[in-house]
Amino acid sequence: MGLEEKLPSGFLLSTVEQMAGYMRKGSLWPATFGLACCAIEMMSTSGGRFDIARFGMEAFRASPRQADLMIVAGRVSQKMAPVLRQVYDQMVEPKWVLAMGVCASSGGMFNNYAIVQGVDHVVPVDIYLPGCPPRPEMLLHAILKLHDKIQEMPLGVNREEAIRAAEEAAMAQRPTIEFKGLLR
Ligand code: SF4
C-alpha cells in the first residue's frame, strides 16, 4: 500500500523549511521609512485601491524592532545613509530590503556627490524595482517576487552569503558578448 493510500484525505505533507518559508512570506511587516517621491507610491499601496492588506502587510511599523522588510523608497543622501544603516541594524532577523525606484537602486538621475549611488552600498538588497516612480502595482509585483525568494530561502542560511551566491549564479547566467568579428 502506498503512503498516500494510508493518509486520510485533507492531510498535507511538507518540510519544516517550506512551512517556515510560507509563514515568513505571509507575515512581512514593513518599516515606516520613506525618503522621497517614491514613498508616495509606497503609501498608496496600503490604501483600499491597491490593498497591500491582502498580504497581511498593511501594518507599517514605527519601530524597526517590529519590522522585517525595509522598502527604500527614494534617493538616499550621504547624510541619510548612516541613519538608514542604523534602522536596518535594529530590524529583527531574518530581514529583507527592497530598493524601490531607480534612485534607491542606482542613484538614478542624481549622479552627484550628495546622493548614494545605490543603496546596496549601505545595506544588502534582496530585490530591485525599476521605475521613476514605480507604480503601486509594480511594488506589489516586486513584493510577490520577494515572497518567492523568501519561500525558497533555506533555514539557518547566512543571509549575506546567500545573496552573494545568488548574485554569482546570476552573473554566471549572464550572456557573454562575443567580440570576435566586431573588432577590426
Ligand atoms: S525614482 Fe523618481 S519618483 Fe522615485 S525618488 Fe527617484 S525621482 Fe523620485
Side-chain angles (χ1 to χ4, degrees):
M1 187 189 284
L3 178 64
E4 57 286 351
E5 290 170 53
K6 286 187 201 160
L7 292 172
S9 62
F11 196 92
L12 285 178
L13 283 180
S14 183
T15 61
V16 173
E17 222 160 47
Q18 289 219 319
M19 286 304 290
Y22 179 75
M23 286 184 262
R24 278 178 177 171
K25 75 175 186 186
S27 60
L28 279 180
W29 278 359
T32 306
F33 196 75
L35 292 169
C37 9
C38 273
I40 305 299
E41 302 295 317
M42 179 181 70
M43 285 182 246
S44 3
T45 55
S46 57
R49 181 163 175 201
F50 300 104
D51 195 19
I52 203 176
R54 281 176 286 168
F55 311 113
M57 292 175 63
E58 75 281 17
F60 280 75
R61 308 312 296 173
S63 164
R65 306 268 186 221
Q66 299 167 351
D68 55 1
L69 171 64
M70 175 184 270
I71 302 175
V72 185
R75 73 273 181 287
V76 183
S77 66
Q78 296 287 353
K79 204 171 174 183
M80 195 63 188
V83 181
L84 185 139
R85 179 69 207 200
Q86 189 172 3
V87 171
Y88 174 80
D89 287 338
Q90 289 178 345
M91 285 165 56
V92 289
E93 288 279 1
K95 52 193 168 187
W96 293 275
V97 177
L98 191 160
M100 180 179 180
V102 289
C103 289
S105 301
S106 67
M109 70 195 84
F110 300 103
N111 184 9
N112 62 47
Y113 63 87
I115 299 297
V116 176
Q117 299 298 296
V119 72
D120 52 355
H121 290 286
V122 186
V123 290
V125 174
D126 294 281
I127 190 150
Y128 297 89
L129 171 57
C132 174
R135 281 192 48 82
E137 295 95 329
M138 293 170 72
L139 178 58
L140 291 175
H141 181 70
I143 287 170
L144 290 176
K145 290 280 174 204
L146 183 62
H147 281 182
D148 294 345
K149 195 171 173 180
I150 294 171
Q151 177 71 61
E152 296 309 320
M153 187 173 270
L155 279 183
V157 73
N158 177 306
R159 204 170 148 276
E160 299 201 2
E161 271 175 25
I163 290 172
R164 210 171 309 123
E167 282 171 357
E168 280 169 12
M171 287 298 282
Q173 284 177 0
R174 208 179 256 189
T176 48
I177 299 168
E178 191 62 73
F179 285 110
K180 223 169 29 180
L182 293 177
L183 301 174
R184 298 198 176 209

